[in-house]
Amino acid sequence: MSTLAQGTEAAPGYRAARTLPLRVELVRQLKRRRTLVMGGILAALPFVLAVAFAIGGDPGGRNDRVTLMDTATASGANFAAVNLFVSAGFLLVIPVALFCGDTVASEASWSSLRYLLAAPVPRARLLWSKLVVGLGLSLAAMVLLPVVALAVGTAAYGWGPLRTPTGGALDAGTAVQRLVVVVAYVFVSQLVTAGLAFWLSTRTDAPLGAVGGAVGLTIVGNVLDAVTALGHWRDFLPAHWQFAWADAVQPRPEWSGMIQGAAVSVTYALVLFALAFRGFARKDVVS
């Protein structure tokens, strides 16, 4: 055993579990400009949609077909659901890819990663802290959007039941509970993007490469899901289940699609997270 290793083990007061505390990493990430900008964009989206509806008038169905978008101005709960609908497919992918893909690669690009490891912070501890904070910020982003949308929608359209395109309705209290379930499902469905971004972040020193790669692969998944010729193979694509949450805002909710989608997403995510930890444990960190 090397002298450095002996000194590390014998250092008084050293505890590997106390290195890089979550609160320290969280404060570091909250102070970054990209976190503030992303939070501002998500908080501004409900205001943009409200202004668009005010300028363009109430949405109406086409060819006697009513969609969720057509019910956007029925109540604050409807407005919040529509905000989730228009953002779940792409907009919410960006903060997840950003918070999970930029976290390790940015340290490497700043040449500070090796200094963190020399602190010494165990590699598994460093990755765990960054992954937990990245997922926490991703969840916060997904909560921020519907909360602001619910407040804006209630102020603009009133507090009332969530009206479904099929003609049914959920009372306001039940609607809020269902929206919480929707946010939880959207977060779980985005774990695949988080896993891709985090794995790529441990493989490259370019933050934009990790973030862009995760977003790009997510888009590829959406494109493949649109290829109906794949048949039942699409059931193994996370993108195939990304809007399964719509079944939760029905008078009689159907959970089977959400359960299948959650199982697919969690399976992919666990594999990707495991690859990230395994690869980083063996990586020669020089930056």
Side-chain angles (χ1 to χ4, degrees), residues 11-12 23 74 76 93 104 113 129 147 205 218 238 241 251:
R23 66 179 182 278
V93 172
V104 178
L113 184 57
S129 295
V147 167
D205 295 347
T218 301
W241 307 101

Side-chain angles (χ1 to χ4, degrees), residues 210-283:
V211 176
V215 173
L217 289 173
T218 301
I219 293 174
V220 169
N222 290 334
V223 172
L224 290 176
D225 182 56
V227 181
T228 56
L230 291 176
H232 292 297
W233 288 104
R234 294 187 301 163
D235 293 345
F236 297 98
L237 295 174
H240 186 66
W241 307 101
Q242 63 180 337
F243 291 110
W245 59 264
D247 294 335
V249 292
Q250 301 296 328
R252 293 185 178 181
E254 173 61 46
W255 306 108
S256 60
M258 296 177 65
I259 292 173
Q260 294 181 66
V264 171
S265 296
V266 170
T267 300
Y268 278 109
L270 288 176
V271 171
L272 290 166
F273 290 145
L275 288 174
F277 276 84
R278 182 176 183 273
F280 192 72
R282 305 178 179 185
K283 183 178 180 179

Side-chain angles (χ1 to χ4, degrees), residues 168-194:
L170 300 173
D171 64 84
T174 302
V176 172
Q177 295 175 9
R178 298 287 180 83
L179 288 175
V180 171
V181 173
V182 169
V183 171
Y185 178 76
V186 171
F187 174 72
V188 172
S189 67
Q190 293 295 343
L191 286 177
V192 179
T193 300

Side-chain angles (χ1 to χ4, degrees), residues 33-122:
R33 183 177 300 176
R34 49 88 157 157
T35 304
L36 300 176
V37 171
M38 183 54 62
I41 292 174
L42 292 174
L45 178 63
F47 292 95
V48 173
L49 288 181
V51 171
F53 288 138
I55 295 175
D58 293 338
R62 296 181 178 180
N63 299 325
D64 296 326
R65 181 182 178 184
V66 180
T67 65
L68 183 61
M69 180 66 72
D70 300 323
T71 66
T73 59
S75 68
N78 278 93
F79 187 70
V82 166
N83 273 263
L84 285 171
F85 177 75
V86 300
S87 58
F90 180 72
L91 181 60
L92 289 179
V93 172
I94 298 177
V96 175
L98 183 63
F99 295 141
C100 294
D102 177 71
T103 181
V104 178
S106 61
E107 298 283 1
S109 68
W110 298 333
S111 298
S112 59
L113 184 57
R114 58 182 174 179
Y115 296 108
L116 280 174
L117 296 176
V121 179

